[in-house]
Amino acid sequence: MSETSSPGLRERRKVETWTAIHEAAASLALQGDAGQATVEAIADGAGVSPRTFFNYFRTKEDAVLGLREPFLDPELSGRLSTDDDLLGQVSRLLVTVARTAIGDTDSARLRELTARYPNLHKRMMEYMTQAEALVRESVAGLLANDPSWSAGAEGFGPEETARMLVMLAGVPARFSATNPDADVAQGLPEDLGPALALFHHLQRKLS
């Protein structure tokens, strides 16, 4: 196999092109009005064609933010268990899936862009909603196959129960991410332990 056709080289070039497009888009948006970051301008700044741009990003907003379609590794989904702190498991899985959309994008710059431009924040939330939907579907499947959960609760079936559980599981992650002492450059929190401990403490106190 020649060097130019090796999978490793092709993948590196894809990463380099993706990065070049994202960096050009983010730089244009930070220089002034986000409206200046047109697909044509971004492609020109990255040294690619507009056609190539759409091979890597669906919209210019995605390019500015450096977003990818979120995905849930089936192996991680298969590790979910109703036997031990399901809420904590789901909370950590939410963060993991959200990271597949954000990747290693500069977190501080991401916050600056979403704070400056409401449309970018809206686009970011659309991706986070997609991540939640992936986790919710996985949790619903888990509950439906567990006799202690499959009958539902308080008149709600596994799907609605999973929706509530995923919504609750997002609280510790948001709590950690919005902590005044959180490292902005870190992005999504690595350690949810303290937030989960507080959540469970409040749960016991309030029930």
Side-chain angles (χ1 to χ4, degrees):
M1 182 179 289
S2 67
E3 181 183 3
T4 56
S5 61
S6 67
L9 181 58
R10 287 200 300 272
E11 287 306 311
R12 287 198 300 274
R13 287 179 173 171
K14 285 182 180 179
V15 171
E16 290 171 358
T17 302
W18 185 96
T19 302
I21 295 172
H22 167 50
E23 289 298 326
S27 296
L28 281 170
L30 288 171
Q31 286 171 11
D33 186 348
Q36 297 175 359
T38 63
V39 169
E40 291 73 17
I42 294 168
D44 184 62
V48 301
S49 68
R51 181 177 179 180
T52 297
F53 172 95
F54 286 110
N55 287 334
Y56 288 86
F57 294 98
R58 291 169 57 188
T59 68
K60 67 177 185 178
E61 290 80 10
D62 292 356
V64 170
L65 296 172
L67 297 176
R68 301 173 174 86
E69 289 294 318
F71 68 90
L72 173 53
D73 186 336
E75 182 179 347
L76 291 178
S77 178
R79 293 178 187 172
L80 283 176
S81 169
T82 57
D83 295 332
D84 179 46
D85 188 14
L86 182 56
L87 185 135
Q89 294 178 63
V90 175
S91 188
R92 292 185 176 94
L93 187 59
L94 275 171
V95 171
T96 298
V97 177
R99 281 203 177 100
T100 67
I102 300 172
D104 56 0
T105 302
D106 185 324
S107 298
R109 184 170 66 185
L110 191 63
R111 290 195 181 193
E112 180 180 354
L113 286 164
T114 53
R116 185 184 298 187
Y117 302 113
N119 65 311
L120 294 182
H121 181 268
K122 179 181 178 182
R123 186 60 175 165
M124 179 78 167
M125 290 302 99
E126 289 173 357
Y127 271 74
M128 294 302 98
T129 298
Q130 289 182 42
E132 288 183 353
L134 290 173
V135 175
R136 184 172 65 247
E137 181 179 355
S138 179
V139 173
L142 173 70
L143 300 184
N145 290 318
D146 187 313
S148 64
W149 288 88
S150 59
E154 300 297 329
F156 294 96
E159 290 189 1
E160 287 298 287
T161 304
R163 186 164 70 92
M164 176 68 82
L165 178 56
V166 171
M167 292 175 70
L168 290 172
V171 173
R174 288 194 294 272
F175 178 84
S176 298
T178 57
N179 189 320
D181 297 326
D183 183 358
V184 174
Q186 177 184 335
L188 292 171
E190 291 281 352
D191 182 15
L192 293 179
L196 283 167
L198 175 59
F199 186 97
H200 287 311
H201 173 75
L202 290 173
Q203 189 179 33
R204 290 190 297 270
K205 295 280 284 186
L206 293 172
S207 63

